[in-house]
Amino acid sequence: MERQSTYTATATIDEQGILTGWSDGARRLLGYDLPDVVGRSATALAAADGAAVRRALAGRQRWNGTVPLRHRDGRLLELGVLAHRRTSESGVTDWLVVSAVPARAQPPRGEPLEEWTFLQSPFPLAIFDADLRLVRANRRMEHALALPEAAVRGLRLPHIVPGVASQGADRSMRLALESGRPQETGVRLGPELGHSTLLTPLKDAGGRVRAVCLSARPPAAQDSTATPGDVRAGTGTEQARAARELGEVTVPRLADVMAVDLFDTPPEGAEEPAPQPGPVVLRRAALRAVPDGGRAGGDTGVGEVVVCPADSPPARCLAEGRPLLYDTTDPAVAAWAALDPGAAWLRASEAGSLLSVPLLDPGGTLGVALFGRRPGREPFGPEDLRRAQEFASRTAAGIRQARDHARARTTTMALQRSLLPHTLPDQAALEIATRYLPAATGAGVGGDWFDVIPLSGARVALVVGDVVGHGIRASATMGRLRTAVRTLADVDLPADELLTHLDDLVLRLAADESSADPAADTAGGIGTTCLYAVYDPVSRRCTLARAGHPPPAVVTPDGTVRFLDVPAGPPLGLGGLPFEAIETELAEGSLLALYTDGLFEARDHDIDEALDKMFAALGRPAKSLDSVCDHVLTALLSHRPDDDIALLVARTRALHEDRVAAWELADDPTVVARARSLTREQLSAWDLDEATFTTELMVSELVTNAIRYGRPPIRLRLIHHDSTLISEVYDASGTTPHMRRARIFDEGGRGLLLVAQLAERWGTRHDRVGKTVWAEQSLSGAAG
């Protein structure tokens, strides 16, 4: 029986109107299983005209309202839904549609005075219950969200304001509920609000936390002495920021009300549209009025499409490419202000004088800025026009820089995501969870990376690295170094030797890049830090070496948290300095945490406080490693990070004695028969009789080669884990065996060729003394 509580139904719909996602909540609500609806047109479920739905959504980034939907049993359900239009980093656009389904009565309202205080507070306030679903929102919060409380009641914050920041705030709310302590985080709830939000636990008379109050802090008021130079080009990564700053500087200093409407950013490689006579389609980027300037919002809000008729002031200004002054009593202007929804702000402000200024830069026309003055002020004159042009020019430069930065960031993030692991490889030695958070600063995405590399003998290598710098150069260098680490790991180099080879590679890359571009910063990855660790589940020992990277933390099964004492070593690319590896034994169930230094570069705490927070988060009981990652990030981050963060946590597993068999063999050709016999008996004990013939052949060839070409001692080891069987033969010789083509009458030379044909993987790893030749088989068809 399903628990009777509020739940959320979600669906995703592509731009062609096809359903691409269907949550369990949607199944509970409408009765359709996922295979019944995914791939079908969304209008098949709606009891409304599909064309009318498409018209309602056209040009919008968000929509809320009531939609009639058909239940699987034929019932008609009138549902309140909230729909968000989303665009991925790769440019794919879809709609996220959410609906909260209440299953319990609304909480009672408070006493009149308390209710008035909540509703009329100048700060946006929202209350979320113990399931982190919104139950109350005051008027200021409704204004910030541009949504009524009824449209978002019962939804969680990531469904109200989709994005990474709201997901972090959601985790912080959970932490406030569990700890009973206020939390501060960053999520932008609306264009008029700052990024700082306070989460306060609400407790009953017995001290039990029953809900969380989210209060958003408005940004500080703009200095009235601002000059045109205070509209900084490219502040932030959003082009709308420059448009908003134009309003902060010009209202009320230059105008009583203003609006900025922009052309949509053209696709990669396309040019800015050249304005032509006729109607113009823009998107509202900013809208601002003096406090008593009437209802500035009108019917067309920020982010929505504005269609300007051909004879409207914005369209004429763009077509002529110059500023234009108007009296709003002019019949053409009055008709536009009275009838066009996009001019409702002008009508509401009762402006008598209008100034329309194109936003121009060398790359083309970006949009238009509109300024209005109420009848109590002197109409705009030539000096006002000059100042408005100067403001608009600086704003256009900021918007252009933001667009260029957004394109570069999108390209860099796409490159970086293509280079990072998309899925973690299958392996039995470690349970692993990872997180990667790109920086939120204007410097661009950095070169942090992590990797998980299965090695021979059931071992696994863990890598975390950090390339100096940001942008596409850092991402490209990261890709080259990650490939090099995987190549060096594949030949089973010891950890310290691997870093030495990587150091040599960075020096060569730096020399190549410096010769091509002497002015390049951090050429070839000089200064890159890296941590390389290899865990062996048979011996439960971990070998680690680091090149200037922060040390790993370990949590023992009894909850003790400490750093592993791994010699620091120099960053890569300095050359000539040694790296040192250590080996330590880890109890089964130990937790390893590898990370980059962005985790400790938050602005609101020092390094000692950050370390204490990380240790507390790592030592906190958690249901899964994903929860451990969330605990660490929630504890250390109150806002989007200033530097990239890579976090990898791994819990150790062990291969016990019943899964490993080892024997020392005499240096005598007659021992080959004994090796086959030992192999046959062990596979029978493991119930792997189907693999006996193949394994005997490979063991026979490997032992024969060790006796013929190697040196004693000779050891045979078999490892059985999950669906894999590994055969290993060690000898004290350092000579690497090679396959060769045997001639027709040769008596030997076919052993390794046979092993290569029978094994799924095979290879050689060198120890400090001697080598091990190994062969791995898949047992997917065998019993285990």
Side-chain angles (χ1 to χ4, degrees):
M1 181 177 180
E2 293 179 321
R3 183 170 67 93
Q4 296 301 308
S5 61
T6 299
Y7 64 91
T8 304
T10 65
T12 53
I13 305 171
D14 67 16
E15 287 285 70
Q16 286 70 48
I18 303 301
L19 280 156
T20 57
W22 191 254
S23 73
D24 186 63
R27 177 195 62 77
R28 292 174 61 184
L29 179 61
L30 294 178
Y32 297 95
D33 291 327
L34 186 143
D36 299 333
V37 293
V38 169
R40 294 177 57 191
S41 172
T43 57
L45 302 180
D49 178 21
V53 173
R54 286 190 289 272
R55 285 196 300 271
L57 297 178
R60 293 175 177 264
Q61 292 298 109
R62 186 179 67 188
W63 182 87
N64 72 284
T66 302
V67 177
L69 296 175
R70 291 284 182 192
H71 192 277
R72 187 170 187 170
D73 61 13
R75 287 181 291 132
L76 184 64
L77 302 178
E78 294 279 345
L79 298 176
V81 302
L82 176 62
H84 300 277
R85 190 172 187 262
R86 309 179 302 178
T87 302
S88 69
E89 295 292 347
S90 59
V92 177
T93 301
D94 68 356
W95 285 87
L96 170 66
V97 183
V98 298
S99 180
V101 186
R104 58 188 175 205
Q106 281 298 106
R109 305 300 194 189
E111 295 296 324
L113 185 59
E114 297 171 352
E115 185 71 6
W116 296 339
T117 302
F118 177 78
L119 290 176
Q120 299 176 30
S121 168
F123 297 98
L125 302 174
I127 297 175
F128 293 78
D129 64 14
D131 293 327
L132 303 186
R133 297 182 181 277
L134 186 143
V135 293
R136 296 294 311 277
N138 71 351
R139 292 166 187 164
R140 190 71 177 85
M141 180 62 76
E142 289 180 318
H143 179 72
L145 295 173
L147 290 168
E149 178 189 286
V152 292
R153 187 184 299 128
L155 294 178
R156 297 182 66 160
L157 188 60
H159 287 145
I160 300 171
V161 189
V164 175
S166 61
Q167 293 171 4
D170 192 68
R171 291 194 293 268
S172 295
M173 276 198 281
R174 173 63 61 192
L175 186 61
L177 274 174
E178 295 176 352
S179 67
R181 296 191 301 273
Q183 305 290 322
E184 189 167 356
T185 184
V187 55
R188 194 174 187 89
L189 299 174
E192 299 179 17
L193 298 179
H195 290 277
S196 178
T197 54
L198 184 65
L199 306 171
T200 306
L202 303 180
K203 303 178 182 179
D204 59 19
R208 180 183 175 190
V209 179
R210 306 303 296 268
V212 175
C213 177
L214 182 152
S215 57
R217 298 178 179 176
Q222 182 74 27
D223 185 353
S224 62
T225 61
T227 67
D230 291 326
V231 183
R232 295 178 299 277
T235 301
T237 58
E238 302 172 0
Q239 56 179 320
R241 178 72 63 84
R244 288 196 299 272
E245 289 180 355
L246 177 62
E248 291 168 2
V249 171
T250 58
V251 176
R253 190 170 180 224
L254 176 69
D256 296 315
V257 62
M258 63 78 64
V260 175
D261 297 336
L262 301 177
F263 290 108
D264 282 341
T265 304
E268 184 70 29
E271 297 181 354
E272 298 287 350
Q276 302 291 334
V280 178
V281 179
L282 303 164
R283 191 177 299 276
R284 181 134 298 158
L287 188 60
R288 187 177 180 89
V290 293
D292 60 344
R295 182 173 176 265
D299 298 321
T300 304
V302 171
E304 297 195 357
V305 169
V306 179
V307 180
C308 302
D311 59 350
S312 67
R316 289 185 58 191
C317 164
L318 290 171
E320 297 181 26
R322 63 186 180 91
L324 297 175
L325 276 170
Y326 294 92
D327 187 321
T328 57
T329 59
D330 181 287
V333 178
W336 168 67
L339 301 176
D340 192 332
W345 63 275
L346 187 64
R347 182 172 65 251
S349 70
E350 301 177 351
S353 180
L354 177 67
L355 177 58
S356 182
V357 184
L359 298 174
L360 306 173
D361 89 321
T365 303
L366 302 176
V368 62
L370 302 164
F371 303 94
R373 278 186 180 175
R374 302 183 73 190
R377 295 181 67 174
E378 185 176 340
F380 290 115
E383 177 60 21
D384 298 316
L385 187 147
R386 185 195 65 77
R387 294 172 63 203
Q389 277 186 293
E390 187 174 352
F391 280 115
S393 176
R394 291 179 177 273
T395 299
I399 292 170
R400 169 65 63 196
Q401 183 170 330
R403 288 187 173 186
D404 292 345
H405 179 271
R407 283 197 182 103
R409 181 178 175 85
T410 298
T411 301
T412 303
M413 290 189 69
L415 171 63
Q416 190 170 48
R417 286 198 173 99
S418 71
L419 296 173
L420 289 172
H422 293 264
T423 57
L424 297 178
D426 292 331
Q427 46 80 32
L430 297 165
E431 178 190 357
I432 296 174
T434 61
R435 291 289 187 274
Y436 175 78
L437 276 71
T441 63
V445 179
D448 292 20
W449 90 92
F450 63 85
D451 213 344
V452 179
I453 309 171
L455 302 177
S456 64
R459 299 168 306 133
V460 176
L462 304 177
V463 190
V464 172
D466 184 357
V467 175
V468 174
H470 295 81
I472 198 164
R473 179 187 290 271
S475 292
T477 300
M478 176 271 284
R480 300 167 85 173
L481 295 182
R482 176 175 178 253
T483 300
V485 170
R486 294 187 71 89
T487 302
L488 295 170
D490 196 49
V491 296
D492 264 312
L493 287 178
D496 52 346
E497 291 186 24
L498 182 142
L499 292 182
T500 300
H501 282 276
L502 202 60
D503 185 54
D504 293 339
L505 173 65
V506 169
L507 285 170
R508 291 197 298 272
L509 291 177
D512 291 345
E513 292 191 11
S514 294
S515 61
D517 183 7
D521 294 330
T522 63
I526 288 179
T528 295
T529 67
C530 182
L531 172 63
Y532 183 76
V534 177
Y535 175 69
D536 186 344
V538 177
S539 65
R540 298 193 300 280
R541 300 192 71 79
C542 185
T543 304
L544 307 99
R546 61 187 178 115
H549 201 81
V554 63
V555 185
T556 59
D558 64 4
T560 302
V561 186
R562 61 185 174 88
F563 281 128
L564 288 177
D565 188 16
V566 183
L572 298 174
L574 301 187
L577 298 173
F579 299 97
E580 185 178 347
I582 65 144
E583 187 174 78
T584 185
E585 185 170 339
L586 299 176
E588 184 176 5
S590 296
L591 188 73
L592 269 175
L594 287 65
Y595 51 88
T596 53
D597 59 6
L599 194 62
F600 297 132
E601 292 185 2
R603 297 186 292 266
D604 51 0
H605 51 231
D606 59 26
I607 185 65
D608 291 332
E609 181 185 357
L611 292 175
D612 290 341
K613 287 184 175 182
M614 185 182 78
F615 275 27
L618 288 173
R620 179 180 167 190
K623 295 179 181 179
S624 66
L625 291 189
D626 283 318
S627 296
V628 173
C629 291
D630 290 341
H631 290 167
V632 171
L633 296 178
T634 300
L636 291 172
L637 301 181
S638 58
H639 47 74
R640 286 285 301 278
D642 297 329
D643 191 9
D644 288 21
I645 294 174
L647 174 64
L648 185 155
V649 294
R651 180 170 286 121
T652 62
R653 297 167 176 157
L655 283 176
H656 299 286
E657 293 181 356
D658 60 339
R659 292 293 177 177
V660 182
W663 304 272
E664 187 152 339
L665 304 176
D667 184 19
D668 186 338
T670 61
V671 82
V672 176
R674 178 170 178 262
R676 287 198 297 265
S677 176
L678 292 170
T679 300
R680 184 168 54 252
E681 293 171 3
Q682 186 60 56
L683 294 190
S684 178
W686 283 337
D687 195 20
L688 299 178
D689 297 303
E690 293 181 8
T692 298
F693 178 74
T694 300
T695 309
E696 277 193 61
L697 280 177
M698 290 194 296
V699 166
S700 177
E701 295 299 335
L702 294 179
V703 172
T704 299
N705 273 359
I707 293 171
R708 182 174 297 177
Y709 305 109
R711 293 201 305 266
I714 297 170
R715 304 187 187 99
L716 168 65
R717 185 168 75 160
L718 302 177
I719 302 172
H720 175 215
H721 69 99
D722 288 349
S723 59
T724 302
L725 178 64
I726 301 171
S727 306
E728 298 183 342
V729 174
Y730 167 86
D731 73 83
S733 169
T735 304
T736 301
H738 297 282
M739 284 192 296
R740 64 183 180 87
R741 184 179 299 278
R743 293 184 291 272
I744 295 176
F745 298 107
D746 285 353
E747 295 182 4
R750 300 177 179 84
L752 289 181
L753 182 62
L754 180 62
V755 170
Q757 294 297 315
L758 296 175
E760 188 170 294
R761 297 194 309 148
W762 77 280
T764 304
R765 70 172 179 269
H766 289 269
D767 300 314
R768 298 296 181 186
V769 176
K771 67 177 182 298
T772 299
V773 185
W774 54 272
E776 190 174 296
Q777 302 166 251
S778 174
L779 300 174
S780 55

